[in-house]
Amino acid sequence: MKHLTFILTAAWAVTAAVGAPTLAGTEPPVVGANLVNEPYKQTAAEQEATFRILQAAGVHVIRAGIPGNDQGLAFAQGAYAHGIKIEWLLGVYPDPGTPWPRLPDAYKSKGLWRGWPLSTANADAFKANIGAQLAELESKGVVLAGFELGNEINWTGFNADFPLPAQGRVLNEKDLASDPEGRKIAQGYLRYLQTLAALKDIRDHSMLNRRTPIISGGLADLDDSGKWLRSVKADAVSVDATLHFLQANGLDQLVDGYGLHFYPLAISPGSAQGQAALRAHLELNGLTQCAPPGAAKGKPCWVTEWNFNGLKGLDACPIDDSSRIAMVGEMRSVLHDLADQNRLGGSLYYTWQGQIHAPKEDHDSAFLCGALTESGRLAVAPNIADLMAGNLISDTHSEAIKQRPCDIYAAGNTPCIAAHSTVRSLYAKYTGALYQVKRASDDAAQDIGLLSDGYANAATQDAFCTNTTCVVTRIYDQSTKHNDLSISSGGRYKGPGPNGSDLGAAADALPVTAGGHQVYGVSISPGMGYRNNRTSDVAVNGKPEGMYMISSGTHFNSGCCFDYGNAEVSGTDTGAAHMDAVNVTEDLSWADCRNEPGLGVQADLENGLFHWNQRSCNPASNVSGGHPFISAWLKNNGQTRFTLKWGNAQSGGLNTIYSGALPDGYVPMRQEGAIILGVGGDNSHASAGSFFEGVMTTGFPTDGADNAVQANIVAVGYGAPTGLAGTLMPGSEISLQATTACCIGDYVRNLNGAVVIAPITPSSAEQDKSDATWIVRRGLADNSCVSFESRNNPGDFLRQQNLALHMQPFDGTASNRADATFCPQAGKNQKGSSFHLVNDPTRYVRHYYGKVYVASDGDSTNPWSTPVHWSDDVSFIVGPPWSP
Ligand code: AHR
C-alpha cells in the first residue's frame, strides 16, 4: 500500500467505491495508468488535453471511477472516443440507511475508513445502480477494459469493518475463522462476494461488455515489519489470507483476475540487493497467487496500482528521475516474467497526473513538472515484452540510442543521401524535425520533432491540430543533403490540388505504434504525392544507389505508381532507365500479374515496373501474407545489375525477389536524381499506399548492411495501436450492425461502390466479410469525429453524395472531407451509436429498404427521412470486424 493515499479519497467519496478488473482469455496484458482526483470534473478542454497526452504516450487503458451522472458518462465517452478504455473502479453499495462511516476526529489525517463496511454490502442495490449505469455507458457505445470491484478492502483504509482504534495487527486465515475482529471482516468478505456475483450477472447480460474481465479489488500490500500499520493505528488482513478466504468461498468462479497493489520500498535502486528485496516484497503480497487463465486454482493478476515508497529526487522541478527509472525497470522486469508465464492480466501504474484538482503535485505521477517523465514513459509503455531485460531502459536518453539504418549504411561505406520518416530518426544522432504539418484553420505550419529516444513527438501534432485538420506538407531529409520532400507540384499529370499540384496526406490518418509510442505514418490516397526535383548528391547517369521503404502489405491498390526513389527532375516521362524507384503495387498491367494477384514489390525503372529483367510477372515479387508492415528494397549498380527484396517489417529477414542483370534497354541507367514518394516519375497519382520510413544511399549497399537494417526495423516493433478492434478509436477495424428489428443480422457493407445493409454471418464469403469491415479513421474534416475507410479498398471512404452513402476515394478536397466525416453519439434508440454528418447535426446515417443514406428525422424531403423506424434505423452497434 502507498503510505499516503489521500489523493484517491475524493474519487472514492463520490463513487463510494473502488474498482477492480481482469482478463478472461489469453490476450496480452493491458498496460496503463490510474487516473485519480476526479478527472471527470475537468473541463471538456482539460479532458481533451489529458486524453491526447495519454494517447501520445500510448496509454490505452486507464483505471478510474466513473460516477453515475452526466459528468461520468461524458468522461467515459470522451476517453473511449480517444481510444482509451476505462478499467472501471467500482464500489459496493450499502444496505439502505447505512450511514457513511464517519471517521473519528483523531484519525482524520490518517486516510482511514474511506470505504463502506463490507458487511453492509448490498448486492441488490449494487445491481440496480450499476446495471443502470452500465446500460447508460453501453448506450453511448462504451466498451470497458475491466470491472474492478473494491479497492484495498483488506485494511482499515478502505473497509470500515476494521475497528478503530486498531493496533497495527496483520490478521491471517485462522483469524478470519476464530478471532472476533477477523470474523467480522470475514462476514464482510462474504457480502463482498455476493456483490461480485451481482457484477458477474450484470456483465454476463450486458450488450457490449460480455467479454470485459472482472477483477477482484486491488489488495493493499503490507510491509513485513508492520511498522506502517502501527504508525497509522490501522489493521489489515494479509493478501494471501484474503485471497485464500475468498477462493474458498467461490472467488475463482466470479472473477477473471486478482487485483493487487504493489508499493515496494526503494532499497538501493538498480542493485541486485534492491531487486531481490523488490521480488520478495511482491511474493509476500500475492504474487504467488497469480496463475494462467484456466488454471485449476488462481487467476492472472492485475496489478492495478504500483509505485514505490521511499523514492527521492522527485520533490522539486526539474526532478532527478534516475532512482525511479531504475525501480521501474526492476518492476517491469518482474511484470515481464509474469506476462511471459501468462500470469499477468494488467499493469496500471499509479498514477498518471499530478495537479488535477489537487493542491499539490503528486510525486507518484508519471506526468510531473509539466511533462511525461522518462520513468513514467517506461512505466506505461504498452508493450511489456519490449521491456524485457531492461532493453528499453538503455534507450531512454538520446546519447544511448543505438544504431539506426543510416548509421549502418554509413558504416558499410554506402551512406544515406536521403532519409525520410514521420516515425523515427534514421540516424542515432539526428535531433532535428521529422516532418511538417499545416493546419486548415489558419494555414499555420508546425514542425514535428523527436522524443528523447528518437521517435516522433506525435503529441505536438495532436495539440497543434486540435479541432482542425492537418496535412503533411513536408518530410524532412535527415541526411546532411537536405533532400526534403514537399507536396508534389505536379508534372505530366496534374494533381487535384491548387495549380495542378498533388494533395498532402491527412496528418492523422495513419496512427500506428512504433518504439512503444503512438506515432503517425503517411497514408497516400490517389491524388496525393511528394517530390523533390532539385536534390543534392542523389545518383544520376548510371551511378550506383540503394533504397528501401517501410510500407503496408494491406493498404495498396493497382494504380500507378506507389514509388519511393529516384525519378525525373521534369516530372515527365523522359524514357527508359530515367527512373530507379522501389514500387509497392498490385501490378496488373505492367507485368500482368493477374495469375499472382495481390501486392508485389517491383523496380520502377520508367515505362515499366520490373520484377526481374523481363517484362513479365515474377511470382517471387508477390508479397504474400497480408502483413500490415512490409519493407521493400531496391539497389541498382547503374551499369549492369539490380536487386529487389522484401521483408515483413515486424519479424524475420529479407526475401530476395531478383538479383541479376538489368533489363534490355536499361543499360546503363540514366537516373536524373529527383526523389518521389507515392507517385510515378511523370506524376501519375492513381496509387494508394502507406509510408513510414525510407532511405536512399549512395553506392550499392552490401547484403549484410541490408540485413542489419531489416533487423533494426523489426526492433522498432511497428504495430497497430493496441486494443483497437471493435471500437471507434482511429485505426480500429469494425463492423456496423443494424439494430432495427427487421434487420439485426444485417451489417453496413460496400456493394460495388454502393453502401447497403445485408446479412453477414461467420460462414459468409470472405469477400462479403471484408466488404462489411471498416477501418475507423479520425474524421477527415474534424478529428473529434470519425471517417470510415474501406477494408477492401484502401483509400476509399464512406461518404454522402446527394444524401446517399457511397464508397469513394478520398480526394482531399474540403467537400469530400466533410461528406466523409461523421460524429458519433449514443444510439437514438439507446442501442449502439448514431452518426451525424459533421456539417449537419440533423442528418444521421440511416438504412432504408436496404440502402444507406443520411437522413433527418421526418423532414419528409426524401422517402428515407420518414419518421417511421427512424431512431432504430439510425442506430448501429459498433462491433468487431468481420475480416481481421
Ligand atoms: O514506369 C511506370 C510509370 O510509367 C512511371 O512511374 C511513370 O513515369 C510512367 O507513367
Side-chain angles (χ1 to χ4, degrees):
M1 88 187 62
K2 184 66 190 168
H3 288 182
L4 201 65
T5 46
F6 303 112
I7 285 174
L8 210 52
T9 313
W12 299 149
V14 169
T15 59
V18 255
T22 301
L23 189 68
T26 51
E27 295 93 338
V30 305
V31 180
N34 280 255
L35 231 65
V36 295
N37 282 318
E38 301 170 310
Y40 40 83
K41 288 193 174 169
Q42 290 180 304
T43 64
E46 285 170 337
Q47 281 182 31
E48 176 71 20
T50 302
F51 294 144
R52 281 177 178 275
I53 297 168
L54 284 163
Q55 269 184 320
V59 176
H60 299 299
V61 175
I62 53 174
R63 178 176 185 252
I66 321 171
N69 55 22
D70 288 351
Q71 269 185 336
L73 212 54
F75 173 74
Q77 224 182 335
Y80 195 63
H82 287 79
I84 298 167
K85 286 185 176 177
I86 294 179
E87 196 254 22
W88 188 8
L89 190 54
L90 292 155
V92 299
Y93 280 72
D95 291 330
T98 307
W100 176 254
R102 211 190 69 77
L103 195 63
D105 287 346
Y107 300 92
K108 280 270 153 66
S109 62
K110 302 194 190 297
L112 305 175
W113 275 10
R114 289 164 292 174
W116 295 104
L118 282 189
S119 57
T120 68
N122 183 311
D124 292 338
F126 178 91
K127 199 164 176 180
N129 282 282
I130 296 302
Q133 206 182 328
L134 182 62
E136 280 256 53
L137 289 169
E138 293 198 329
S139 77
K140 307 282 183 206
V142 173
V143 178
L144 298 157
F147 300 98
E148 179 178 351
L149 180 65
N151 181 68
E152 301 198 353
I153 58 174
N154 60 320
W155 78 293
T156 319
F158 293 93
N159 181 353
D161 276 337
F162 284 90
L164 278 176
Q167 302 94 47
R169 293 177 65 196
V170 178
L171 284 72
N172 59 28
E173 256 175 286
K174 224 165 104 208
D175 296 328
L176 289 173
S178 53
D179 176 90
E181 180 180 333
R183 280 209 303 273
K184 173 86 175 161
I185 307 299
Q187 212 185 329
Y189 281 176
L190 292 175
R191 285 273 204 138
Y192 168 80
L193 286 167
Q194 287 172 10
T195 298
L196 261 183
L199 174 59
K200 183 167 186 312
D201 194 53
I202 295 169
R203 189 273 309 265
D204 291 350
H205 293 91
S206 69
M207 205 165 68
L208 305 177
N209 284 284
R210 287 185 194 178
R211 297 194 64 236
T212 300
I214 294 176
I215 295 115
S216 55
L219 298 176
D221 54 339
L222 311 172
D223 68 59
D224 39 3
S225 70
K227 200 164 133 208
W228 164 251
L229 285 175
R230 283 195 297 279
S231 73
V232 289
K233 298 193 173 6
D235 284 353
V237 181
S238 76
V239 173
D240 281 352
T242 299
L243 283 174
H244 287 154
F245 179 89
L246 294 173
Q247 284 162 344
N249 288 284
L251 180 69
D252 286 3
Q253 284 72 57
L254 301 175
V255 301
D256 306 292
Y258 298 154
L260 298 176
H261 292 176
F262 292 135
Y263 290 91
L265 192 60
I267 303 170
S268 20
S271 70
Q273 178 212 0
Q275 202 154 350
L278 180 137
R279 276 195 190 254
H281 177 85
L282 271 41
E283 275 165 17
L284 178 77
N285 285 290
L287 199 71
T288 56
Q289 307 281 339
C290 314
K297 190 166 173 214
K299 293 284 170 185
C301 288
W302 282 60
V303 183
T304 57
E305 286 184 22
W306 63 273
N307 206 312
F308 310 99
N309 279 309
L311 273 177
K312 299 198 173 60
L314 303 170
D315 293 326
C317 299
I319 59 166
D320 172 1
D321 207 12
S322 51
S323 297
R324 193 161 74 174
I325 289 173
M327 290 302 290
V328 168
E330 287 170 15
M331 184 72 185
R332 295 266 324 215
S333 148
V334 178
L335 294 175
H336 174 266
D337 289 350
L338 217 55
D340 238 16
Q341 297 152 6
N342 215 5
R343 293 163 61 213
L344 183 71
S347 156
L348 296 158
Y349 180 75
Y350 188 96
T351 184
W352 172 253
Q353 86 285 47
Q355 287 167 321
I356 299 177
H357 304 299
K360 170 170 183 287
E361 266 197 330
D362 179 350
H363 292 152
D364 285 343
S365 299
F367 199 85
L368 265 180
C369 303
L372 181 59
T373 59
E374 284 298 337
S375 57
R377 187 180 74 76
L378 293 167
V380 301
N383 190 352
I384 287 213
D386 282 349
L387 296 164
M388 187 172 172
N391 282 346
L392 209 59
I393 303 293
S394 60
D395 248 8
T396 55
H397 300 292
S398 52
E399 63 271 23
I401 295 175
K402 299 180 205 97
Q403 282 189 317
R404 292 278 163 100
C406 288
D407 304 311
I408 295 167
Y409 281 132
N413 285 327
T414 54
C416 296
I417 45 75
H420 301 109
S421 177
T422 55
V423 168
R424 62 169 182 153
S425 64
L426 297 166
Y427 294 86
K429 294 224 159 69
Y430 183 71
T431 54
L434 290 182
Y435 60 105
Q436 182 193 63
V437 298
K438 192 159 135 189
R439 66 184 171 203
S441 53
D442 60 359
D443 268 356
Q446 170 74 47
D447 281 350
I448 308 301
L450 291 163
L451 298 168
S452 61
D453 61 352
Y455 284 89
N457 188 347
T460 314
Q461 177 183 317
D462 291 339
F464 182 72
C465 304
T466 304
N467 297 329
T468 181
T469 56
C470 283
V471 293
V472 176
T473 38
R474 191 168 288 197
I475 306 171
Y476 292 108
D477 174 18
Q478 301 173 29
S479 82
T480 52
K481 309 295 176 188
H482 302 297
N483 291 323
D484 304 341
L485 290 169
S486 304
I487 296 172
S488 168
S489 58
R492 160 75 179 82
Y493 293 97
K494 302 289 176 209
N499 303 319
S501 64
D502 291 346
L503 297 166
D508 56 359
L510 192 52
V512 296
T513 307
H517 303 282
Q518 196 248 285
V519 295
Y520 296 102
V522 182
S523 179
I524 301 274
S525 294
M528 299 175 182
Y530 294 84
R531 190 166 196 125
N532 183 342
N533 288 336
R534 295 161 67 93
T535 61
S536 295
D537 291 342
V538 179
V540 292
N541 291 325
K543 291 272 181 325
E545 63 182 340
M547 68 204 72
Y548 79 83
M549 72 167 149
I550 307 294
S551 184
S552 163
T554 53
H555 176 207
F556 60 87
N557 69 2
S558 57
C560 176
C561 284
F562 196 76
D563 289 344
Y564 175 70
N566 196 326
E568 293 96 334
V569 292
S570 58
T572 58
D573 178 350
T574 49
H578 284 250
M579 286 183 68
D580 186 31
V582 66
N583 172 277
V584 171
T585 304
E586 181 174 32
D587 183 3
L588 297 177
S589 52
W590 292 100
D592 193 1
C593 266
R594 272 166 238 273
N595 292 332
E596 295 287 339
L599 184 65
V601 169
Q602 312 53 230
D604 187 347
L605 304 181
E606 190 52 283
N607 294 321
L609 302 181
F610 287 91
H611 305 197
W612 47 11
N613 64 351
Q614 305 297 313
R615 286 188 179 275
S616 59
C617 183
N618 170 9
S621 82
N622 202 269
V623 173
S624 52
H627 305 292
F629 300 90
I630 59 162
S631 57
W633 309 68
L634 168 65
K635 49 190 180 180
N636 192 330
N637 76 359
Q639 298 298 319
T640 54
R641 66 192 173 100
F642 75 114
T643 299
L644 278 166
K645 304 180 196 178
W646 77 272
N648 175 355
Q650 293 179 304
S651 68
L654 294 176
N655 309 291
T656 299
I657 297 165
Y658 173 76
S659 193
L662 281 161
D664 287 349
Y666 290 78
V667 181
M669 292 293 295
R670 298 181 190 85
Q671 309 100 307
E672 297 187 20
I675 303 178
I676 51 173
L677 167 60
V679 287
D682 57 6
N683 204 54
S684 299
H685 47 69
S687 55
S690 299
F691 176 86
F692 302 98
E693 63 179 70
V695 312
M696 296 173 70
T697 67
T698 182
F700 192 89
T702 62
D703 286 340
D706 292 344
N707 292 342
V709 171
Q710 166 71 7
N712 188 279
I713 292 164
V714 168
V716 167
Y718 273 105
T722 52
L724 289 184
T727 73
L728 285 175
M729 175 173 177
S732 171
E733 298 193 351
I734 61 160
S735 58
L736 290 167
Q737 183 183 7
T739 60
T740 315
C742 61
C743 318
I744 49 172
D746 288 358
Y747 292 79
V748 176
R749 63 163 292 180
N750 154 44
L751 195 66
N752 304 320
V755 180
V756 301
I757 57 164
I760 304 284
T761 67
S763 49
S764 294
E766 287 310 316
Q767 173 76 29
D768 295 333
K769 287 187 191 169
S770 308
D771 280 336
T773 298
W774 304 93
I775 305 168
V776 178
R777 300 289 184 207
R778 283 167 206 271
L780 293 166
D782 176 339
N783 54 25
S784 64
C785 299
V786 292
S787 294
F788 298 105
E789 186 175 1
S790 159
R791 172 74 178 76
N792 259 357
N793 297 61
D796 286 6
F797 283 78
L798 277 185
R799 71 165 290 195
Q800 77 88 21
Q801 201 170 34
N802 299 325
L803 304 183
L805 280 200
H806 302 273
M807 205 190 66
Q808 286 178 1
F810 172 49
D811 68 15
T813 59
S815 62
N816 181 288
R817 284 176 183 277
D819 289 343
T821 301
F822 306 93
C823 304
Q825 58 179 233
K828 291 286 179 189
N829 67 355
Q830 305 305 317
K831 292 179 195 153
S833 305
S834 294
F835 302 90
H836 71 71
L837 265 182
V838 65
N839 285 347
D840 186 346
T842 68
R843 289 192 201 277
Y844 287 79
V845 174
R846 175 191 192 163
H847 65 89
Y848 182 74
Y849 282 97
K851 289 197 174 160
V852 187
Y853 301 88
V854 287
S856 47
D857 189 2
D859 71 4
S860 71
T861 49
N862 302 292
W864 57 86
S865 290
T866 172
V868 181
H869 297 310
W870 188 83
S871 57
D872 287 336
D873 291 350
V874 298
S875 301
F876 298 89
I877 290 173
V878 177
W882 278 108
S883 179

